[in-house]
Amino acid sequence: MLTGKNLIDGAWHGSDSALPSGDVDGLSVAQAMMAQVDAACRAARRDFRAFAGTSREARAAFLRAIAEEIDALGDAITETAMAESGLPEARLVGERGRTTGQLRMFADLIETTDYLDARVDPALPDRQPLPRPEIRLTHRPIGPVAVFGASNFPLAFSTAGGDTASALAAGCPVIVKGHPAHPGTAELVARAIAAAVSRCDMPAATFQLVHGAGREVGEALVRHPEICAVGFTGSLRGGRALYDLCHARPVPIPFYGELGSVNPCFVLPAALSARAGAIAAGWVQSLTMGAGQFCTNPGVVVAIRGDGLAEFTSAAVAAADAGAGQKMLTDAICGAFRDGRNVLAGKAEPLTAPRDAEEPRHASPAIFRTDAATWRATPDLQEEVFGPAGIIVECTDTDEMQAIAEGLAGQLTATLQADDGDHALARDLLPILEEKAGRLIWNNWPTGVEVCSAMMHGGPYPASTDVRSTSVGTLAIVRWLRPVSYQNLPAALLPHPELLG
């Protein structure tokens, strides 16, 4: 059933360069050639106006058709994703539901009109000293969009994930650069989208998929003059390189990248005294969920030294030592985790037992401890280690805790574990953390990002490249829209006469 081919302008194409996939028997993946990337971008531009001109109702029906086609391929998608990613069946079934749920959520959104933010200033012909013309504003699709699939979410942040769903909802053709860790899964989902394109009579280049290992294909996409915006989920290093390319183009374009975050958790004194063991158990469960391969993995705990922190640390280490190693997404990701863990071991005190006999591609939980002064003076401790590694930072008092908050780089999330007696300290921390993170969490954990209208999944750099943007939730659609004003145009010629007329 799988071919490893690229979907370009409605047809499947091989190439002269094959990339073997060791996780799906017999699958050889066709590396997209530069001429194919160019053809995909030009086709997307050719079909942009036709797709942008479809009605909101037609695009909503299209999004729902994609969801239905993915559901129809459900078991095949799950089995292929399990083979490629090492993720368990239950996780992937849930992720598939999240993927189709996002598509239906954006379908519901565009059947309303709020997202268009239409504004009308009527003419004032008698205004002195000068009359005012009639001016109307709405939002229009930005143009063809390139989306990069994520390694850790083969469904919800990849081929038909949130970036793709929101861009299609906005009226933008999408070219997905499939992640090389799961090309078979990408192909199956692309086939579902292609079926919906045909079923709903959308333009052929509404959606396209290209494969590529290394940087060549991705760089060619973001440099192509027909691409108008980019969505990316991945590493800080890779995302920053693409961001720089986007802004070095003769015509710079928006790059919406989700890059890296340590997602600090501040455990305040009253909560630490009352429920240290329970907080520790919750932290380790969140830290090790999915082998720690979540962008919201809470990699740092900040608390004040004392009996409560000693109890917390003992409980956290016991829970981590009792946890089994988990299979990681790829050999490369596992190797990078182990390297990062070794770096932490040279900069902070290891608290968990070493596991010399780890299985290939498996990661075991690792917890470290340091003091606030060392943390602040050691940049390596403040960088994300993608996997189940966490650091406990011991402060001497609340002033040190606030100083750590002030020194944080941008984060996706910041968590407060607090009781009623902690409200005064929380009031001091919250204005700081509002500047540092996109989502603030009270007595909960950051893993498990809810897909809803109020979700903010982004944050100040380096968590993401645009602090105003989210990659989860209905607000994601604004990334692929741009405001346009219409002065004195006849109502019959406006793009949304029902709103602007």
Side-chain angles (χ1 to χ4, degrees):
M1 184 176 183
L2 294 173
T3 67
K5 293 183 177 181
N6 302 278
L7 176 61
I8 300 171
D9 202 9
W12 294 90
H13 297 270
S15 76
D16 296 334
S17 178
L19 305 170
S21 175
D23 296 310
V24 177
D25 290 341
L27 179 61
S28 180
V29 181
Q31 168 102 355
M33 298 179 291
M34 293 302 96
Q36 292 175 321
V37 174
D38 178 66
C41 294
R42 292 183 184 281
R45 165 54 64 182
R46 180 202 69 213
D47 286 350
F48 165 59
R49 290 175 185 166
F51 183 57
T54 57
S55 69
R56 293 179 289 109
E57 293 77 11
R59 290 201 304 279
F62 173 49
L63 294 171
R64 293 190 179 104
I66 296 173
E68 291 167 4
E69 296 290 346
I70 290 173
D71 284 339
L73 287 175
D75 290 343
I77 291 172
T78 299
E79 290 167 8
T80 302
M82 287 173 62
E84 291 183 318
S85 68
L87 296 172
E89 180 179 9
R91 152 73 192 273
L92 288 166
V93 169
E95 190 182 331
R96 193 178 77 233
R98 171 175 170 161
T99 305
T100 57
Q102 286 179 145
L103 289 159
R104 294 180 171 111
M105 177 186 72
F106 281 107
D108 292 343
L109 174 70
I110 63 174
E111 286 180 331
T112 70
T113 57
D114 291 347
Y115 79 99
L116 293 168
D117 193 15
R119 306 176 185 206
V120 177
D121 285 308
L124 298 175
D126 299 325
R127 190 184 67 175
Q128 296 297 325
L130 293 172
R132 183 178 76 185
E134 178 184 74
I135 301 177
R136 309 169 187 180
L137 178 145
T138 189
H139 285 75
R140 300 295 296 150
I142 196 169
V145 170
V147 170
F148 286 71
S151 64
N152 57 337
F153 280 87
L155 299 173
F157 278 85
S158 290
T159 312
D163 286 350
T164 297
S166 55
L168 293 175
C172 298
V174 172
I175 303 173
V176 167
K177 194 269 187 186
H179 196 283
H182 37 75
T185 306
E187 180 180 334
L188 285 173
V189 176
R191 288 185 178 277
I193 302 174
V197 167
S198 176
R199 174 176 153 188
C200 296
D201 198 27
M202 292 295 171
T206 295
F207 174 85
Q208 300 173 89
L209 169 71
V210 293
H211 295 293
R215 299 182 300 181
E216 187 179 28
V217 170
E219 290 182 356
L221 273 175
V222 302
R223 283 181 165 139
H224 201 285
E226 304 296 3
I227 295 298
C228 295
V230 177
F232 174 89
T233 300
S235 69
L236 173 59
R237 181 178 177 183
R240 181 55 196 246
L242 294 173
Y243 173 92
D244 289 343
L245 287 176
C246 285
H247 289 83
R249 290 172 31 146
V251 178
I253 60 172
F255 178 88
Y256 297 106
E258 182 197 317
L259 307 183
S261 181
V262 297
N263 305 295
C265 172
F266 291 79
V267 184
L268 305 194
L272 191 61
S273 176
R275 47 192 178 91
I279 296 172
W283 178 52
V284 173
Q285 182 180 28
S286 183
L287 180 74
T288 60
M289 182 183 296
Q293 299 169 122
F294 292 104
C295 47
T296 53
N297 183 35
V300 178
V301 163
V302 182
I304 296 173
R305 187 178 293 121
D307 291 343
L309 183 53
E311 181 185 348
F312 172 93
T313 301
S314 177
V317 170
D321 279 339
Q326 299 179 65
K327 190 174 184 179
M328 299 198 79
L329 293 159
T330 68
D331 290 331
I333 288 172
C334 184
F337 167 73
R338 293 182 181 181
D339 290 344
R341 187 177 59 186
N342 291 338
V343 169
L344 295 182
K347 308 284 185 177
E349 178 190 1
L351 299 179
T352 45
R355 307 206 184 172
D356 298 327
E358 286 181 312
E359 298 179 56
R361 198 171 147 183
H362 278 62
S364 301
I367 293 179
F368 303 85
R369 176 169 57 196
T370 192
D371 59 79
T374 302
W375 161 268
R376 294 174 64 195
T378 312
D380 285 347
L381 295 179
Q382 301 175 34
E383 294 183 4
E384 179 185 26
V385 175
F386 190 62
I391 304 174
I392 299 169
V393 182
E394 296 189 343
C395 302
T396 57
D397 53 29
T398 59
D399 287 343
E400 270 199 333
M401 180 176 278
Q402 290 183 59
I404 286 178
E406 291 279 12
L408 287 170
Q411 306 292 330
L412 292 172
T413 73
T415 296
L416 292 173
Q417 292 287 337
D419 285 355
D420 290 347
D422 295 313
H423 280 205
L425 178 55
R427 285 192 188 95
D428 292 334
L429 284 169
L430 281 169
I432 304 170
L433 297 178
E434 281 180 348
E435 297 178 12
K436 304 294 182 177
R439 176 163 56 111
L440 304 183
I441 298 158
W442 182 269
N443 287 340
N444 211 306
W445 299 103
T447 44
V449 179
E450 188 68 29
V451 180
C452 61
S453 291
M455 177 53 63
M456 171 58 179
H457 191 60
Y461 185 86
S464 60
T465 56
D466 191 328
V467 71
R468 302 161 298 176
S469 170
T470 178
S471 60
V472 178
T474 55
L475 189 60
I477 198 171
V478 303
R479 296 173 296 167
W480 322 119
L481 297 167
R482 65 182 187 91
V484 179
S485 287
Y486 301 87
Q487 185 167 321
N488 285 347
L489 262 71
L493 299 180
L494 292 167
H496 302 291
E498 74 278 17
L499 301 178
L500 301 176

